[in-house]
Amino acid sequence: AYGVGELVSSPWKRCVDTLAPYAHGCGLDLRSDEAFTEVSALTTPEAMQASFRDLLERGSALAEQPEPSYPLALCVHRPCLPLLFETLREYMGPELATKLPDSDPWLRPGQAVVVHLRRRPASVQLGTTPEGDVEAGCGDDVVVKGPQIVALELR
């Protein structure tokens, strides 16, 4: 539904097994990254967050193509989520940040977070719809330099 064209995962079996059927069905490569393991979350959290920032910011400086060429799916372990959510909060306004889980269990098994990222400098209004969803187009102006998260879905 989101046109995912790049897959990144912890190299651990359960994460690879989560994305492998999609990779096979769509003919995509599945790239594993040691930065997104439970061990990394415990021993080198800064490196994990730096790798995640690299994924979020990749391509943002390209003037000819400021938007990503395709969406990316990332599969990680539950102990990684607090660090990744902390990093995501750096790229969104305070109202949108309240929609991210902030305590354990972070996500239910099989649940996903869909992040809508805008990769160019912009001023955007963020607010809440009557249904409680956060989206661009209402609320206070938030000026962001570089990538910014403009919407968030918990699935």
Side-chain angles (χ1 to χ4, degrees), residues 22-121:
Y22 185 85
H24 178 74
C26 294
L28 297 173
D29 291 329
L30 174 56
R31 180 169 62 90
S32 64
D33 189 331
E34 288 287 337
F36 298 112
T37 66
E38 290 181 37
V39 172
S40 294
L42 294 171
T43 61
T44 56
E46 301 85 7
M48 176 187 292
Q49 288 178 300
S51 293
F52 190 47
R53 282 185 196 96
D54 287 345
L55 289 177
L56 293 170
E57 295 178 7
R58 184 183 49 200
S60 63
L62 299 175
E64 304 84 41
Q65 189 180 8
E67 294 293 329
S69 57
Y70 46 75
L72 172 137
L74 173 64
C75 188
V76 300
H77 309 274
R78 187 177 309 274
C80 301
L81 294 175
L83 294 167
L84 300 184
F85 290 168
E86 179 183 314
T87 304
L88 285 175
R89 284 182 178 90
E90 298 171 11
Y91 295 89
M92 61 179 69
E95 188 171 340
L96 185 57
T98 66
K99 298 299 179 185
L100 278 172
D102 60 0
S103 62
D104 198 21
W106 304 101
L107 296 174
R108 295 182 314 274
Q111 191 175 22
V113 176
V114 178
V115 175
H116 299 270
L117 183 71
R118 181 180 169 133
R119 294 190 185 262
R120 59 179 168 254

